[in-house]
Amino acid sequence: MKKFLRIFMWCVIAAIFIGTFVYLFIKSQPEKETYELVSPTDGTIERNTVLTGKIEPRDEIEIKPQVSGIISEINVEEGDMVHEGDIVAKIKVVPDEGQLSSALSRINTAKINLDDARVKHERNQFLYDKKVISREEFEGTATGLAQAKAELDAAEDAYSIVKEGVSKTNAKQSNTLVRATITGLVLDVPVKVGSSVIQANTMNDGTTIATVADMNNLIFEGKVDETEVGLLSVGQPMEISIGALPDLKLNAIIELIAPKGVETNGANTFEIKAAINVPSGDKLRAGYSANATVNLSKAENVLSIPESVIEWVGDSTFVYVMTDSLPEQKFERTPISTGTSDGINIQIKDGIDRNVKLRGAAIKKK
């Protein structure tokens, strides 16, 4: 009995050893790979690029005062439509004491000169009537009297301008009336009644009373990477989409490509401007974020395959064409010539036809 058990145990050990050896041998054998098969198809390949940017008015004008002072009246609000020449605001001039004193002194001097000219003229009038003096002498004092009157009017007008900023002789065109310089929509009114304003000069840009823009003449301002700027050209069409208005698509034409790039986050980008065709009735707003889609190249009715099946070696491209499927899949490495790509599919110019089967992704065995 003991001998039988010993023989049995050795048989079990031998079976386990042989089974383990067979299992490890089978596991060490390489699995036969199976691949998905891809067929070329006919279609249209488009290469597009997307530019990010904003919608901006072509003409955005900052209206500034021609005199310094305090705003006494504002006639517009943001969103109002104004026409060229409309009064946007009125300014109350705060006179300079030195200029005011000088203007008042000029008036007093003009009055003295007028009184003197009037006395001389009245005396010469009496002498001329008595035929004591010549007509030439009489006309000389008449001219002096007229000049003295004109000087007094000019002095009083100058005093009015210094004190109130308004000319008596041309009140409608007073510098205290701030007028719109273009027809458009009021985008911003950064001041309030009572605010102090400064006129523009060589030392100061001046205070902006209002910003006005023509919202019927809009442009897209965006940036394009240096790797794609060479594929764009002036006159090229683009389609504008606005995040805030997902249902609205706008057509635009590139009118400017910056000749000089600007480094942004380590990459060179070039500014692009495109004129937007604004549909009637659409109320667009300045500053909308937008994307512009530009078609860089297009190939219609061409043979195409997924880029994922291509092997890239330097400037050369290859695919693996199936030559046999039984008992196992066999493929032949074949060079091809490619064309336009949209990032997913690519055009095939030469090397294969539409009847071949290409090696795709490997099929994983569970």
Side-chain angles (χ1 to χ4, degrees):
M1 186 68 180
K2 292 183 179 180
K3 184 178 180 180
F4 173 77
L5 291 174
R6 190 164 49 249
I7 294 173
F8 178 75
M9 289 181 62
W10 279 109
C11 290
V12 171
I13 293 171
I16 294 173
F17 178 78
I18 293 171
T20 302
F21 177 79
V22 171
Y23 174 78
L24 293 176
F25 177 77
I26 293 173
K27 291 294 291 183
S28 66
Q29 298 301 309
E31 293 183 356
K32 294 180 181 179
E33 289 187 319
T34 304
Y35 296 91
E36 294 179 353
L37 299 180
V38 177
S39 299
T41 58
D42 292 322
T44 298
I45 304 294
E46 293 185 81
R47 180 183 176 185
N48 297 324
T49 186
V50 177
L51 315 180
T52 58
K54 294 193 298 184
I55 304 296
E56 297 288 358
R58 184 186 301 276
D59 298 318
E60 184 174 328
I61 306 300
E62 293 182 346
I63 300 176
K64 300 178 182 293
Q66 295 180 328
V67 295
S68 300
I70 297 174
I71 295 180
S72 60
E73 183 179 323
I74 296 178
N75 299 326
V76 297
E77 295 180 350
E78 296 175 1
D80 288 349
M81 192 72 186
V82 295
H83 295 84
E84 183 178 353
D86 288 352
I87 298 175
V88 174
K90 294 182 180 179
I91 296 177
K92 178 182 178 182
V93 175
V94 179
D96 179 80
E97 290 298 328
Q99 294 180 347
L100 192 64
S101 177
S102 178
L104 187 60
S105 176
R106 180 182 173 185
I107 290 177
N108 293 332
T109 301
K111 286 181 178 179
I112 293 172
N113 292 335
L114 178 60
D115 291 339
D116 181 63
R118 182 179 291 111
V119 170
K120 290 180 179 179
H121 180 65
E122 289 175 352
R123 182 174 63 248
N124 280 1
Q125 176 76 51
F126 176 77
L127 296 175
Y128 178 72
D129 292 339
K130 297 294 184 178
K131 306 210 184 281
V132 175
I133 61 175
S134 65
R135 183 176 183 82
E136 182 179 0
E137 290 182 86
F138 170 72
E139 291 177 347
T141 56
T143 301
L145 178 62
Q147 291 175 340
K149 289 180 179 179
E151 172 59 22
L152 179 59
D153 291 339
E156 290 176 342
D157 195 51
Y159 178 77
S160 176
I161 292 174
V162 171
K163 184 178 181 181
E164 302 175 0
V166 180
S167 171
K168 292 182 178 180
T169 58
N170 193 19
K172 291 184 178 181
Q173 298 299 322
S174 170
N175 290 342
T176 60
L177 303 179
V178 182
R179 299 178 183 272
T181 55
I182 64 169
T183 298
L185 189 72
V186 178
L187 302 182
D188 186 27
V189 182
V191 295
K192 298 180 180 180
V193 173
S195 299
S196 297
V197 295
I198 302 173
Q199 70 181 99
N201 52 52
T202 56
M203 302 297 294
N204 195 296
D205 292 335
T207 306
T208 299
I209 302 294
T211 303
V212 179
D214 181 2
M215 296 302 292
N216 293 318
N217 190 1
L218 301 176
I219 61 173
F220 169 82
E221 291 186 355
K223 294 184 181 297
V224 62
D225 189 80
E226 62 181 345
T227 59
E228 295 180 330
V229 69
L231 301 174
L232 302 180
S233 60
V234 174
Q236 195 169 4
M238 60 170 55
E239 184 181 73
I240 308 294
S241 58
I242 300 173
L245 304 171
D247 297 330
L248 180 63
K249 301 295 181 182
L250 302 173
N251 295 321
I253 301 294
I254 297 176
E255 61 179 21
L256 172 67
I257 302 175
K260 182 180 179 180
V262 178
E263 186 173 341
T264 305
N265 297 326
N268 285 334
T269 59
F270 292 79
E271 185 181 24
I272 301 290
K273 290 185 180 180
I276 298 175
N277 181 19
V278 182
S280 59
D282 285 320
K283 293 185 177 180
L284 297 176
R285 299 180 183 274
Y288 269 142
S289 297
N291 293 328
T293 303
V294 186
N295 181 255
L296 301 178
S297 59
K298 184 177 182 180
E300 296 182 328
N301 299 320
V302 296
L303 194 66
S304 65
I305 61 174
E307 279 196 16
S308 58
V309 305
I310 294 180
E311 181 183 80
W312 307 85
V313 181
D315 295 332
S316 301
T317 51
F318 301 88
V319 291
Y320 287 85
V321 178
M322 187 173 73
T323 58
D324 197 358
S325 60
L326 296 174
E328 61 183 31
Q329 293 176 332
K330 294 181 180 180
F331 299 93
E332 181 182 353
R333 190 170 186 252
T334 303
I336 59 172
S337 175
T338 60
T340 300
S341 170
D342 62 5
I344 299 176
N345 297 313
I346 189 168
Q347 175 190 1
I348 301 300
K349 292 184 176 181
D350 190 25
I352 59 173
D353 57 34
R354 60 179 48 82
N355 298 318
V356 301
K357 298 293 184 180
L358 304 177
R359 188 181 76 180
I363 299 175
K364 295 182 179 180
K365 293 182 179 181
K366 296 183 179 179

